[in-house]
């Protein structure tokens, strides 16, 4: 839950995934590899709704699916 709250607070569209992970690393004060593992787990388990219509890589922006209202 702490990771997801931090993710929601620092996420910006059109920001490289590597930059997002770096900011989460600073915010959570955890090693980069641990933050990346937490991101991967949350994405894999559907806790972060990633758009699979865009490439997913550290050197690419992270796109999330739009929430349906």
């Amino acid at each position: 839950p702490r990771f997801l709250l931090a993710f929601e607070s620092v996420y910006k569209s059109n920001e490289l995934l590597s930059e997002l992970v770096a900011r989460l690393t600073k915010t959570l004060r955890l090693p980069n590899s641990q933050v990346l593992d937490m991101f991967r787990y949350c994405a894999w388990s559907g806790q972060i709704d990633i758009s699979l219509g865009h490439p997913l890589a550290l050197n690419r922006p992270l796109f999330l699916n739009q929430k349906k209202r």
Side-chain angles (χ1 to χ4, degrees), residues 17 50-63:
L17 180 55
I50 295 175
S51 171
L52 298 179
H54 298 88
L56 182 60
L58 286 172
N59 63 346
R60 300 268 186 153
L62 176 66
F63 292 95

Side-chain angles (χ1 to χ4, degrees), residues 7-38:
F7 178 85
E8 290 174 5
S9 70
V10 301
Y11 174 76
K12 294 179 185 174
S13 60
N14 294 326
E15 179 179 33
L16 297 181
L17 180 55
S18 60
E19 294 170 355
L20 177 63
V21 169
R23 288 194 312 130
L24 284 167
T25 297
K26 289 179 184 177
T27 300
L28 296 171
R29 296 182 179 149
L30 294 171
N32 190 311
S33 60
Q34 189 173 356
V35 169
L36 194 52
D37 285 345
M38 285 191 273

